[in-house]
Amino acid sequence: MSQLKKKLFEKIEEWRPRTTKLVKEFGDVKIGEVTIGQAIGGMRSVKCLTTDISYLDPFEGIRFRGFTIPETLEKLPKVPGSTVPYVEGFFYLLLTGEVPTEEEVAEVAEEFNKRKNVPDYVFNILKAMPKDSHPMVMFSTAILSMQKESVFVKSYNEGMNKMDYWDPTYEDALNLLAKLPQIAAFIYRWKFKDGDIIAPDPKLDMGGNFAHMMGVPAPYDDLSRLYFILHSDHESGNVSAHTGHLVSSALSDMYYSISAMINGLAGPLHGLANQEVLAWTQDVFNKMDGKIPTDEEMRKFVWDTLESGQVIPGFGHAVLRKTDPRYMAQREFCLKHLPDDPLFKYVDILFRVVPPVLLEQGKAKNPWPNVDAQSGVIQWYYGVKEYDFYTVLFGVGRALGVTANIVWDRALGYPIERPKSLTTAMLEEIAGVK
Ligand code: HAX
């Protein structure tokens, strides 16, 4: 058994009695109330999910296993010659709650390496799809096509103790995660680079290998590591994480769950916003003939978009009430590597101009930029200009957090999800509407 799996097992044994005690002895304790506004309004802020992997404070932003983004980036072992940690070590942290040693990271990297070969039929399925299929459709299809590989399904069909569900789920998680970078890079090069595919390099770590298979030189490897880490998890209630959790709660395996997660991420109000940001920014760029707009000119573009009934992509958030620290981490990367890039300058102006406009409009509860406001610009700078592809990158990252959550869901025996719905007439009666 690998060190990671052993450590995970110890943690599960330690955690299980806590969950059992809470449910058995304190199951009736109330943690909040639900209003009609929340029942109709997308369950905003309803406290009804549990995860120990990340927590999102509205004013501080995300903490992964208790660590802020700067702490996470500082504490985890780094790839030699790089300032960004190994994605493999970050996954160890998500899964176990502990910062791994160099040795433990090397072992996880080796585990991923062993499991990374993608079956040929996946590539054949992707090649058979219409070339104008969205990359997220291709990504979701590729993941779902591997469902027959599920170790969980095999063990379940053979008959398995409920307490052991986490074990084959862990195997599915690692098997799938190890393959995602190659599938993503294949989709990119098949669709946008005339099918000129670059084979993986077994000597490289996950982020380095992804950059290699994309055919983009350094520091794209560092960017990929950073990108996957930043996009991994944002507690359980966002659409992609919640979809993964919901589907897996029916004991659907990792392939069904992560494919569904990808479908949720593909919406323009969620992960697709990063592609929308770039489309929007470039539209302004073209209208300005590439000239850097004044703040006043930019204000007008922003107002025009709002007045035509559209949202400003990359701004606002359902939980956050300040600038997203994931935006700030990417902004720091830009200030270091591409401070003079014209599109970065646009994003910089938007950072100044959009929040006061949204405040003046008075609708958005959070006028500040989110993770998607910055990410596309960096990809564009490094030559990944096909912005349909950007949400696939988000998907590779998000799979780290969601698979880790699903392993823990199984370990702690979380049951099938089934909230209760009421009719409109029932709500009217509760509210005393005449
Ligand atoms: N531009 C214009 N209007 C906005 C806005 C924005 N960026 N953000 C919120 N609003 C509007 C909402 O559309 C809503 O209007 P109506 O009352 O007319 O329906 C009103 O402000 C209140 O919304 P809210 O409570 O502040 O925000 P929600 O929790 O309902 O929605 C969203 C959160 C992220 C979906 C929203 O802010 C939005 O649409 N932002 C733009 C799209 C975007 O950037 N999405 C990515 C978010 C991060 C993420 O999940 N990435 O994956």
Side-chain angles (χ1 to χ4, degrees), residues 38-59:
Q38 289 170 316
I40 296 176
M43 300 185 274
R44 205 66 86 257
S45 311
V46 175
K47 296 184 179 109
C48 59
L49 290 164
T50 313
T51 176
D52 296 294
I53 291 175
S54 67
Y55 180 74
L56 178 58
D57 180 88
F59 296 98

Side-chain angles (χ1 to χ4, degrees), residues 44 265 268-271 273 306 310-318 321 326 358 361 363-366 370-372 394:
R44 205 66 86 257
L265 191 66
L269 293 186
H270 191 20
L306 291 176
Q310 296 169 63
V311 294
I312 307 298
F315 286 78
H317 200 271
R321 293 296 175 256
R326 299 172 301 173
L358 287 177
Q361 191 205 30
K363 274 173 47 171
K365 294 191 190 68
N366 174 38
N370 59 54
V371 65
D372 294 316
F394 195 150

Side-chain angles (χ1 to χ4, degrees), residues 166-239:
W166 70 270
D167 185 319
T169 304
Y170 164 93
E171 297 297 333
D172 279 352
L174 264 75
N175 286 338
L176 179 57
L177 286 174
K179 294 174 178 61
L180 293 183
Q182 190 178 358
I183 295 172
F186 179 91
I187 291 170
Y188 180 71
R189 299 210 48 106
W190 174 254
K191 200 171 152 65
F192 302 116
K193 300 287 168 196
D194 297 326
D196 179 14
I197 305 303
I198 303 172
D201 179 344
K203 293 189 296 302
L204 294 173
D205 66 294
M206 188 178 181
N209 215 352
F210 177 71
H212 161 75
M213 290 184 285
M214 287 289 287
V216 187
Y220 194 74
D221 51 349
D222 259 353
L223 176 65
S224 303
R225 293 175 191 115
L226 180 70
Y227 202 95
F228 296 154
I229 291 173
L230 292 181
H231 288 79
S232 61
D233 208 35
H234 221 217
E235 62 170 49
S236 297
N238 63 79
V239 169

